[in-house]
Amino acid sequence: MSLSERSLLDAELMAIEEINLAGGILSRRIEPVIKDGESTPEVFSARANEFFDSGIDTLFGAWTSASRKAIKPIVESRFGLLFFPVQYEGLEESPSIIYTGSCLNQQINTSVLWSLEHFGKFFFLLGSDYVFPRAANRLICSVVRENNGHISGERYFNLGTQDFREVIQQIKELKPSVIFNTLNGDSNVGFFRQAGEAGLLPSSFPVMSVSLTETEVQVIGESTRGHYACWGYFQSLKNDENARFIRNIKQRYGEDKVCTAPMVMAYSQIYLWKQAAEMAGTFEPLKVTEKLPGCSFLSPAGQISIGSNHHIAKSIRIGKVNEFGQFDVLWESKTAINPQPWLGLEDVDFPRKSLVKQCMASFPDLLFQNSLLEQQINKSFILEGELKQLNANLENIIEQRTRQLCEMVDELRIAKGKAEEGDKLKTSLLMNMSHELRTPINGILGFGDILRDQLKDPEQKKMASHISNLGQKLLVTFTSMLQLSILEAEKSQPDYQVCNLGNLAREEIIKFKQHAALKKITIKEDIDANIQFRTDTNMFSDILFFLLDNALKFTEAGYIWVNIHQAIENNTRKITISIRDTGIGIKDEQMKYIFDAFRQGSEGIGRSHSGNGMGLTLCKRFITLLGGQISVETTVGTGSTFTVSFSTPEEINIPANPESLDKAPVLNVDANTNISIPAKNKLHLLVVEDNPANAELVVMYLKMHYHIDVAFNGKLAVKYAWQNKYDLILMDINLGGAMDGIQATREIRSLENYEDVPVIAVTGYSTDAEKQQILDKGLTDFLSKPFSKEELLNMIEKWIKKNK
């Protein structure tokens, strides 16, 4: 990619020199620090980390979407800022990235419609094999077919490919109306030169390019004459700013230097950053980012300004290569085209919009995986051809290997088909996954607990305990994946409320008492009394859960010590939570990735500890969202201490003599102690549940305390409510019939004496958005599957007491 990217660096260096000559920014001279990404996403990622480690937190660069995606999580997690200057596939939005290139609706949609009108309806799609060309071609296919067009062929090549003779012959045979080109970098050199040699003249085989600039045209030469490109800028534009820009570029880099659209965006974004930094009065990225929306600059391509979605509205132009290696502008949009990174989804409003955006955001990754499958198929065909050329004496081997290869190709094609089918189902995957997995897990955990309590035979009781433990492990893994997906796609925000941290902590500790007792590990507590703190209770509970789970997982003997303290220093209140274990510790080489998703201290086939490697990742992200910090002290073979701290200016009255807690080891209590609840035979409950196993589980939980009726669908629930008077209703939401739980609740509420009866949603839905949507429909409270007997009884007790 150096052919394309070097010119962007040249333009940025010129902008920095101009700014320094004019006095710099905030009276400071700007010094560019340059690192080479070597056309490889992994190297771009490493270079970005090097920048941040050295204190540099504002980055300009990248061309391919694969490189941008490699930088994106680093910039976001380290609260930096990236300016990305090139067209891309959209389906992305980041508070840490400014996208100054074009979106698909600006460049791709425009050039396709123009090509349909001027060339015809048969398109051959030719692109480099990475995210942007594949995503762009999906839009092209859609637009072409909507206009009664046809895709004659579609081929992808690795970056740097120079041999296009085979695909050129295919194009000659198919005779498409237009070749739509999304090749990047120096692959354009090989294609255009070989196409010209093969007689693919623009009069019969016009090429419309969206990544071909004046830079590549200058290198390729005569072979590009008469072909077309679509950009927001061409060097041939006639305006004062462009004349000045071209003059300065040539003075700095020589008369042969040409100017391109990506160069103009790379140049302009330096000035946009300057404007925002001066408005913010600082170079600190978070404060600069706040000022960037609305920043405007008169660029060589015309006036540009940054929108609230961190993208830029711009005029789009169609150009044709002339004899001088420049583009004659044939068409220009009448007004600036607004960017639509979500292909218009941002302009409409509907329920679950965030879920749809989350699924759409995964689309480029699915395309990338699809491309890997196709590459494997191509490699298989090549290998098959080589086998057929072997000596006749190896016929048996050839036959055997060919059969194996054909089977592998079939498997890959099937896998590709499944991947494409998965792409179609992406919009409903997460929504269905939560409900469909939580419902059976609820039954596994519930019946496992009941069997464990009722069985007398020690061996059978042990097997029942295994059922519960494995079900709990499955729940933790699934919940972690779902939480991580929501955090990455929806940018979840905390729901703050005042709570008692000690009570929250003890609730989480109790969950681990039994498991710790089985491993003969002591859980000790040293928690200040009455710590009132404003936080998101769900996130805080999850932080403690994952830290305790991590400590218990990697500790085989000794103890786990939970310390929670508060202190006032310089009018600032500091909450400190530390969890110390006597486990295996963490090696130095492992410390750098312990907070990375799907990584853990023991990995590979011979790993000594199980786990999905997401607990500490979620922990770190929750702590960051809540404004806290986490640190680790560890010694291999001795143990680790994870310390979480929160600081707040709130004034808190700390008791003069807080209760002293015994810091000696505390023996574990029996986690299976039954809750004693007096019988309430006069109270009548209705359970609405379409899953017989879950209905039976709830009845077994409640039959000793309440009189229970069960309705297996919504219509039957309304009928029972009309015939009887219930004190409380447990309502499943997804009932699988014509009437769901929300509709059934609405019908029951309309009956006499049911206006104030508690109706509790007992459902597999689990996200905060789903919970709020259900409560807004008239249900009283929300209990997500899976749940324990104690959680169910406590929920019922809570609302029965309120209604007395």
Side-chain angles (χ1 to χ4, degrees), residues 109-126:
N109 193 62
T110 299
S111 55
V112 171
L113 291 175
W114 192 89
S115 297
L116 283 165
E117 179 181 353
H118 291 82
F119 299 136
K121 296 184 178 295
F122 293 88
F123 280 58
F124 190 98
L125 308 183
L126 178 68

Side-chain angles (χ1 to χ4, degrees), residues 353-511:
K353 178 177 178 179
S354 60
L355 179 61
V356 174
K357 291 180 72 173
Q358 177 182 349
C359 294
M360 291 178 67
S362 68
F363 182 59
D365 293 329
L366 290 172
L367 288 175
F368 177 68
Q369 295 301 322
N370 196 36
S371 71
L372 293 181
L373 288 173
E374 288 192 356
Q375 289 175 22
Q376 291 300 317
I377 292 174
N378 292 333
K379 289 179 181 178
S380 298
F381 281 126
I382 293 172
L383 182 58
E384 184 178 9
E386 292 175 350
L387 286 170
K388 289 180 179 179
Q389 298 175 14
L390 289 176
N391 189 282
N393 294 332
L394 301 175
E395 287 181 358
N396 292 333
I397 298 176
I398 292 175
E399 181 180 355
Q400 179 183 1
R401 291 294 301 275
T402 301
R403 183 169 58 253
Q404 293 173 346
L405 285 168
C406 289
E407 290 173 355
M408 183 172 65
V409 170
D410 289 340
E411 290 174 359
L412 288 170
R413 283 174 174 160
I414 292 172
K416 178 184 175 184
K418 290 181 178 179
E420 291 173 346
E421 182 64 22
D423 178 37
K424 296 176 183 177
L425 296 175
K426 64 183 180 296
T427 57
S428 62
L429 176 61
L430 282 178
M431 180 173 60
N432 292 334
M433 185 187 297
S434 178
H435 186 274
E436 294 303 322
L437 284 181
R438 286 179 179 274
T439 297
I441 290 174
N442 185 61
I444 293 171
L445 293 176
F447 285 120
D449 289 341
I450 291 173
L451 285 172
R452 184 184 59 204
D453 293 340
Q454 292 183 353
L455 291 171
K456 302 302 182 183
D457 182 88
E459 195 65 29
Q460 293 179 345
K461 195 176 186 74
K462 182 179 180 182
M463 286 190 289
S465 295
H466 287 328
I467 292 174
S468 295
N469 292 337
L470 291 172
Q472 186 65 38
K473 183 177 179 181
L474 177 62
L475 174 63
V476 170
T477 299
F478 166 69
T479 302
S480 300
M481 292 178 67
L482 189 62
Q483 286 178 316
L484 184 61
S485 180
I486 291 172
L487 275 174
E488 290 178 343
E490 292 188 355
K491 311 300 180 190
S492 300
Q493 295 301 317
D495 179 16
Y496 289 100
Q497 53 184 292
V498 177
C499 64
N500 186 306
L501 293 192
N503 292 342
L504 273 180
R506 292 184 183 96
E507 289 176 4
E508 294 305 314
I509 291 171
I510 287 172
K511 297 177 182 178

